[in-house]
Amino acid sequence: MGFFDFLRGKRQGQEKPNGEMPIGEIKARVDEEYKILNDNSTKLVGRVKFLLKGIIPNLKSCLAALGLINLEKRREDERLKAIVKENISGYMHHLERFIEELENILETMDFNDIITPIERIFANFSKNSAKSHEKATILVGAEFEAIHQEFKNFSQEFNPLKKEIMENREKMEKLGKFAENFHKISDAEKAEEQIKNLIHKLDAGKNQKEGEIRRKEEELKHLKESEGYKKDIGERNRLEEERRELEKEIGMLKKKINLKELAGIYHGDERKHKIIKGYIENFKKAMEEDEQLELAKILKEAGNWDIDLRRINEKSKMLAGYASQNEIKLNTIEKEAEKIKKEINEISENKRAEEDKLERFKKRKESLISELKSEAREFFKTPGNV
């Protein structure tokens, strides 16, 4: 179930005892408010266009009036008249460009960027035409006064409209943040569902593995209760007795051989001395690793001792490596069971990690919902909002 399905499941208009709006109602009111503000944006753009369509032809008339100014009959200094005429021409150039830019705005006007371009065009015109205006108005007044009156009339209507546009845009930006929070809450809800599904799969996997463990334990039980395995235990006990006897024989052999004396005899022979040293450090290990029975050769060379190390060595290996088929099978089952137990532990660890993650997402969602409700209370109690 998705987040907004969850919202639709709540009764519209259902208020909590503390007057807090449910999420579903907030969503409905945000949608309603956004529609109103969006419609208002269109109307505001229309009103700005109406103002521009009013001032543009009026400025064109003013531009034409400037072009008809004739200073020939004026008695002022000719140089002054020339300066004034030159600056009237310069001002007309700036005014003509100003009108073109206003006309371009009419074609490309966007509510999200309506105030700044208009203010920039007016500011640039004021800056660029200031010197021409100053010098042109030395001898000319009425025509420029008409232009000033057009700007004044425009400002008187545009400035309140600008305030409405700014307020409308600010409200829409706040609603945009509501939409972001709804999206974040929806994402958190989806993440929760995904994690819950994963935890469900982990539980199913764990149950399956635990079933495998039970089957392995049952298999081990049947194997240990079988006649064949009982016979193997008897054989293992017999071999264990042989191993103890062999250990005694090896111990007696070690006492019989004076290894330290033998090491002294072959002190100068590095290879033989190394072999003897190995037997001194660990007699049984050295004997098992002495494949070529080098100690027997050294003993025979040193004192004509003829010790059957081969028999002892082979028997030791046979006893150490003996395993019946049932024992091999039992060992295999136990290893498989141990592997499954590790897998179960890994699944349990993964589940704990996912549960921790789920808890973080829940807290994150609760925080977002709390923040959303707080902002909604503030927004919708403001005069002028829905």
Side-chain angles (χ1 to χ4, degrees), residues 213 259 348:
I213 283 289
L259 291 170
S348 297

Side-chain angles (χ1 to χ4, degrees), residues 107-282:
E107 300 299 324
T108 60
M109 188 176 294
D110 179 9
F111 178 77
N112 293 320
D113 190 22
I114 187 173
I115 302 297
T116 303
I118 292 175
E119 290 185 331
R120 184 176 63 247
I121 292 170
F122 272 83
N124 287 342
F125 172 72
S126 177
K127 177 183 176 183
N128 295 334
S129 65
K131 289 183 179 179
S132 296
H133 177 273
E134 181 182 358
K135 293 179 181 180
T137 53
I138 293 173
L139 299 178
V140 180
E143 291 82 354
F144 283 97
E145 182 60 32
I147 295 171
H148 296 162
Q149 190 60 46
E150 289 296 331
F151 287 156
K152 182 178 179 181
N153 293 341
F154 182 86
S155 296
Q156 285 176 344
E157 294 190 58
F158 179 73
N159 287 337
L161 188 54
K162 171 186 171 181
K163 183 180 178 183
E164 286 186 56
I165 291 169
M166 300 282 285
E167 289 174 351
N168 200 81
R169 184 188 300 164
E170 184 181 348
K171 290 176 183 177
M172 291 188 78
E173 287 174 354
K174 286 182 179 179
L175 291 179
K177 290 181 180 178
F178 280 127
E180 287 179 13
N181 276 344
F182 278 122
H183 185 70
K184 289 176 182 177
I185 292 169
S186 177
D187 286 345
E189 180 72 17
K190 289 174 184 176
E192 281 186 32
E193 288 300 316
Q194 290 173 351
I195 294 170
K196 286 176 182 177
N197 289 337
L198 180 55
I199 290 173
H200 178 73
K201 289 178 181 178
L202 289 171
D203 283 335
K206 184 179 179 182
N207 290 337
Q208 180 185 343
K209 294 295 179 184
E210 287 174 344
E212 291 178 17
I213 283 289
R214 286 192 294 271
R215 287 191 290 274
K216 292 294 179 186
E217 288 174 349
E218 193 67 24
E219 195 175 350
L220 285 172
K221 179 183 176 183
H222 288 315
L223 180 61
K224 290 179 179 180
E225 290 174 353
S226 68
E227 290 300 320
Y229 185 75
K230 291 177 181 178
K231 289 179 181 179
D232 290 339
I233 293 297
E235 179 64 13
R236 169 61 64 187
N237 292 335
R238 186 186 68 77
L239 293 173
E240 182 63 23
E241 183 60 32
E242 284 192 30
R243 187 189 64 77
R244 286 193 289 269
E245 291 298 323
L246 185 63
E247 290 288 341
K248 291 178 183 179
E249 186 177 353
I250 292 171
M252 292 173 62
L253 179 62
K254 183 179 179 181
K255 291 179 181 179
K256 182 178 179 182
I257 303 170
N258 192 336
L259 291 170
K260 290 185 179 180
E261 181 181 348
L262 198 62
I265 295 171
Y266 289 98
H267 182 73
D269 189 323
E270 185 177 351
R271 188 185 70 82
K272 293 178 180 178
H273 186 268
K274 185 178 180 181
I275 293 169
I276 298 166
K277 187 179 178 183
Y279 272 89
I280 292 173
E281 292 173 353
N282 192 325

Side-chain angles (χ1 to χ4, degrees), residues 51-69:
L51 284 180
L52 291 175
K53 287 177 180 178
I55 193 174
I56 288 172
N58 292 346
L59 289 175
K60 285 183 176 179
S61 296
C62 292
L63 182 64
L66 289 175
L68 295 175
I69 293 173

Side-chain angles (χ1 to χ4, degrees), residues 85-118:
K85 285 173 67 177
E86 180 183 353
N87 282 281
I88 289 173
S89 178
Y91 187 88
M92 288 176 66
H93 169 74
H94 292 304
L95 183 59
E96 189 173 13
R97 186 172 180 183
F98 172 74
I99 292 169
E100 288 176 359
E101 289 180 342
L102 290 181
E103 288 175 328
N104 288 335
I105 281 184
L106 276 172
E107 300 299 324
T108 60
M109 188 176 294
D110 179 9
F111 178 77
N112 293 320
D113 190 22
I114 187 173
I115 302 297
T116 303
I118 292 175

Side-chain angles (χ1 to χ4, degrees), residues 301-318:
E301 179 184 309
N304 294 321
W305 293 351
D306 190 8
I307 298 174
D308 191 2
L309 282 179
R310 183 180 300 279
R311 176 188 63 80
I312 297 173
N313 194 8
E314 288 178 353
K315 188 170 184 180
S316 176
K317 289 181 179 180
M318 184 274 292

